[in-house]
């Protein structure tokens, strides 16, 4: 079996988007009240973890001489690409207060990032609502 170079074969493609599938299941679990909170919480946690640490977004770390930053694929919204200096770039931005705004802008920097951000945010809220009884008025 040939793999497609350094991108990790099949995982470089649609496999990386399993979080969106989990997100769709999450929506289905919300619509179908028989699913129960345990399933909703599990799916929410999965999608949040995916969007933070695994989703195929662009790295965007600042690169000397490039206005648009690093174009490598990153692992999730909180991690950078395989370059060591980029790996923790986004987490560092979250800690440095004056860079938080830049980090937030990066969350919607392109179509992929926006999808991942919305999926992560939606799932986070969904998990919160499922965990805290009484938040949803039935
Ligand atoms: Zn990078």
């Amino acid at each position: 079996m040939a793999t497609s170079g350094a991108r990790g074969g099949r995982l470089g493609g649609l496999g990386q988007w399993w979080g969106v599938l989990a997100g769709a299941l999450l929506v289905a679990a919300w619509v179908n009240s028989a699913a129960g909170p345990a399933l909703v919480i599990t799916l929410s946690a999965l999608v949040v973890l995916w969007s933070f640490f695994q989703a195929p977004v662009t790295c965007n770390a600042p690169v000397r001489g490039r206005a648009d930053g690093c174009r490598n694929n990153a692992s999730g919204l909180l991690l950078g690409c395989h370059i060591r200096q980029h790996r923790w770039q986004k987490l560092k931005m979250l800690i440095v207060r004056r860079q938080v705004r830049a980090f937030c802008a990066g969350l919607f920097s392109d179509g992929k990032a926006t999808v991942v951000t919305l999926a992560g945010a939606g799932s986070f809220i969904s998990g919160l609502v499922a965990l805290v009884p009484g938040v949803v008025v039935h």
Side-chain angles (χ1 to χ4, degrees):
M1 289 288 281
T3 56
S4 58
R7 295 218 167 201
R10 276 185 311 161
L11 282 178
L14 278 178
Q16 285 183 311
W17 289 97
W18 65 266
V20 172
L21 196 69
L25 286 174
L26 175 60
V27 173
W30 271 112
V31 173
N32 182 357
S33 53
L39 183 63
V40 168
I41 291 166
T42 306
L43 285 171
S44 301
L46 280 176
V47 179
V48 168
L49 286 175
W50 170 79
S51 67
F52 280 5
F53 301 113
Q54 227 190 345
V57 294
T58 306
C59 173
N60 277 335
V63 176
R64 219 179 279 263
R66 287 195 65 162
D68 56 350
C70 177
R71 304 314 290 169
N72 284 336
N73 286 325
S75 309
L77 294 169
L78 292 185
L79 299 177
C81 66
H82 59 277
I83 298 170
R84 198 153 54 93
Q85 291 93 325
H86 294 178
R87 191 86 199 154
W88 305 107
Q89 176 73 23
K90 295 184 192 177
L91 277 176
K92 272 188 216 150
M93 285 167 85
L94 271 180
I95 293 163
V96 181
R97 185 180 292 226
R98 65 198 159 82
Q99 291 188 346
V100 169
R101 190 194 282 195
F103 175 84
C104 292
L107 292 179
F108 298 97
S109 58
D110 58 20
K112 277 196 294 184
T114 304
V115 168
V116 172
T117 301
L118 291 181
S123 307
F124 185 75
I125 293 168
S126 131
L128 217 59
V129 170
L131 273 172
V132 183
V135 170
V136 181
V137 181
H138 287 285

